[in-house]
Amino acid sequence: MNVAVRVLSVLLLAPALQPVMAAHAQADPQALQAFETVRSVFQHPRCQNCHIPGDAPLQSDASVPHAMNVKRGVEGRGAIAMGCTGCHGTSNLPPSYGLHVPPGAPNWHLPPPETKMVFLAVPPAELCARIKDQAFTGGKDLRAMFVHLRDDQLVAWGWEPGQGRKPPPVSKEQLVAAFQQWMNLGAPCPAA
């Protein structure tokens, strides 16, 4: 390809690339930092252990395969005869039961198979794009995602995970504030 054709190609493509380049150049650093806070929680074991690409949840701070070959099931509530609530109650067991007993929270489940909402091993830019994609979030827009994070009792469990489990790196209040800040600043995604 000669130089004139290359120059012409760059000039023709430049207008199409400008919005993409401008979006990254103009992304508010505070918004990107807020998203990093959100990402740090979503990709913490308390969240990512259930937001998995396959159908077998993970467990513990080490994100190891769930014991007893547990599977997602058709609605995300466990396979037949092995429903999540067979072991997971509506609240954590008392500390006197010891370490690593099955945790509990209201409505214990995985995301349904048609919208798995995978957080595990996803690059930040892709995770960001997925959070904004209603096909990925089961129809939730950013406002509905915000309400889910703020109000859902199963989400809240992550900060009271029971003995032997670490909570996410920031408080639930900090997560909610960061998500709102990121959303209010246009919800930019980090560069790939």
Side-chain angles (χ1 to χ4, degrees), residues 9-10 13-14 19 23 34 39 43 49 74 93 97 109 111 119 127 130 133-135 145 154-155 175-176 180 190-191:
S9 296
V10 169
L13 289 175
R39 187 218 55 79
Q43 293 189 313
N49 282 355
V74 290
L93 293 169
Y97 278 63
H109 68 281
F119 299 163
L127 178 64
R130 288 179 178 192
D133 181 353
Q134 291 184 35
M145 286 289 292
L154 183 53
V155 171
L175 168 67
V176 168
Q180 181 150 34

Side-chain angles (χ1 to χ4, degrees), residues 20-192:
V20 174
M21 294 167 54
H24 289 298
Q26 296 175 4
D28 186 323
Q30 289 181 327
L32 294 176
Q33 182 56 47
F35 176 75
E36 175 54 26
T37 299
V38 171
R39 187 218 55 79
S40 74
V41 172
F42 283 20
Q43 293 189 313
H44 182 274
R46 296 295 73 78
C47 294
Q48 75 175 7
N49 282 355
C50 294
H51 289 272
I52 49 167
D55 289 316
L58 304 174
Q59 64 183 43
S60 86
D61 290 344
S63 297
V64 297
H66 197 297
M68 298 174 287
N69 199 28
V70 169
K71 299 294 181 206
R72 182 185 309 270
V74 290
E75 295 178 353
R77 299 186 182 283
I80 295 174
M82 285 190 69
C84 299
T85 57
C87 294
H88 298 279
T90 58
S91 62
N92 289 331
L93 293 169
S96 61
Y97 278 63
L99 294 174
H100 309 295
V101 295
N107 196 24
W108 195 273
H109 68 281
L110 296 169
E114 46 295 335
T115 53
K116 293 179 179 179
M117 296 179 59
V118 178
F119 299 163
L120 181 67
V122 177
E126 187 177 339
L127 178 64
C128 179
R130 288 179 178 192
I131 294 167
K132 299 192 301 183
D133 181 353
Q134 291 184 35
F136 173 80
T137 64
K140 290 181 177 80
D141 62 9
L142 283 177
R143 179 72 188 148
M145 286 289 292
F146 171 78
V147 170
H148 174 69
L149 293 173
R150 185 189 66 199
D151 298 344
D152 188 272
Q153 291 178 315
L154 183 53
V155 171
W157 166 84
W159 285 270
E160 294 182 18
Q163 287 192 122
R165 295 176 194 90
K166 293 179 184 169
V170 298
S171 71
K172 181 176 176 240
E173 293 75 21
Q174 288 171 304
L175 168 67
V176 168
F179 195 94
Q180 181 150 34
Q181 180 183 26
W182 171 67
M183 187 173 59
N184 291 346
L185 293 173
C189 291

